[in-house]
Amino acid sequence: MPHEATSNALTGQQRRGFWLRTLHQWHWISSALCLVGMLLFAVTGITLNHASRIEGEPRVDNRQLALPPPLQAALEGDDEQTAPLPPMVAAWLSDALDAPIGSREAEWSADEIYLSMPGPGRDAWLSIDRASGELEYERTERGWISWLNDLHKGRNTGPAWGWFIDIFALACVVFTVTGLLLLQMHARQRRMTWPYVGLGLLVPALLALLFIH
């Protein structure tokens, strides 16, 4: 019996040691992956919370140009549609305006083609008169803080950044869950573990219930 009890205790210690090593490994790997991203999202959380106080002065760039006749002819066709600009027109505009036109979809009407080109920290639009070939382009830059804020929100950032946010969020979940499990395993030696965890839940819950209406 004593031998069996010793064997069971040893097995329990080995199991605990295995889970401690596994959790520590997942915890430090996920923390390393999340480090820069968490710093970025924490800082931009502050700038978003005080956006009205630290918002920079927008810079507006407005230009008027005229399409060459061959490119104007390439715009003939269906009056009402939603489709990208012809590749040759998009390439010419990208060079002339120093703006990435790409394959963005434009709104075609009988008189005008309108293309919206928003991006992080900026808004831009392009309007082409189909009869005369004259165009107007306007771009508003709101500064690097607005750019970082839009990265935080995933606003007008494209699918690649959207995938990054999802993967980053998953890594944060791994980081927090492994941290919680490590707290549980060390809670016997740290009596204030669960009071602190409870405080972390209680404070935001009370703020939400009492001060958000």
Side-chain angles (χ1 to χ4, degrees):
M1 292 294 293
H3 176 73
E4 183 179 352
T6 303
S7 177
N8 290 337
L10 183 61
T11 302
Q13 291 177 357
Q14 290 175 340
R15 186 183 302 112
R16 175 182 169 83
F18 167 79
W19 282 112
L20 273 174
R21 290 191 299 272
T22 301
L23 289 172
H24 274 294
Q25 185 174 23
W26 279 98
H27 192 66
W28 80 258
I29 291 174
S30 59
S31 68
L33 292 173
C34 295
L35 177 62
V36 176
M38 289 183 72
L39 181 61
L40 169 67
F41 279 85
V43 171
T44 52
I46 297 173
T47 57
L48 277 170
N49 199 36
H50 301 278
S52 60
R53 299 181 182 179
I54 59 178
E55 186 174 351
E57 187 71 21
R59 292 186 295 106
V60 180
D61 178 19
N62 186 279
R63 307 184 197 178
Q64 287 84 31
L65 299 173
L67 286 174
L71 296 181
Q72 182 182 350
L75 300 179
E76 297 177 357
D78 295 335
D79 289 341
E80 301 288 342
Q81 62 174 331
T82 301
L85 294 171
M88 64 180 70
V89 176
W92 185 87
L93 289 172
S94 296
D95 291 337
L97 301 173
D98 190 25
I101 303 298
S103 57
R104 299 171 184 262
E105 289 197 339
E107 300 174 12
W108 298 58
S109 65
D111 303 320
E112 179 192 41
I113 299 174
Y114 179 82
L115 179 63
S116 178
M117 299 179 291
R122 71 174 188 273
D123 289 304
W125 56 268
L126 172 68
S127 176
I128 304 175
D129 188 300
R130 298 182 71 177
S132 65
E134 295 180 353
L135 65 92
E136 182 178 6
Y137 170 74
E138 184 171 289
R139 176 176 174 136
T140 303
E141 292 281 357
R142 293 186 169 83
W144 65 271
I145 293 180
S146 179
W147 182 77
L148 289 173
N149 288 346
D150 283 348
L151 291 185
H152 183 110
K153 296 182 289 185
R155 176 180 178 268
N156 301 321
T157 53
W161 185 257
W163 276 104
F164 166 75
I165 292 178
D166 288 342
I167 295 171
F168 166 74
L170 181 60
C172 287
V173 170
V174 173
F175 174 66
T176 53
V177 170
T178 53
L180 179 62
L181 293 175
L182 286 170
L183 285 175
Q184 182 182 14
M185 298 188 75
H186 291 295
R188 290 182 180 178
Q189 293 80 31
R190 301 168 184 172
R191 296 183 178 180
M192 291 302 295
T193 295
W194 298 123
Y196 282 141
V197 172
L199 186 64
L201 172 64
L202 182 62
V203 169
L206 287 177
L207 290 175
L209 291 173
L210 298 176
F211 298 103
I212 299 178
H213 302 288

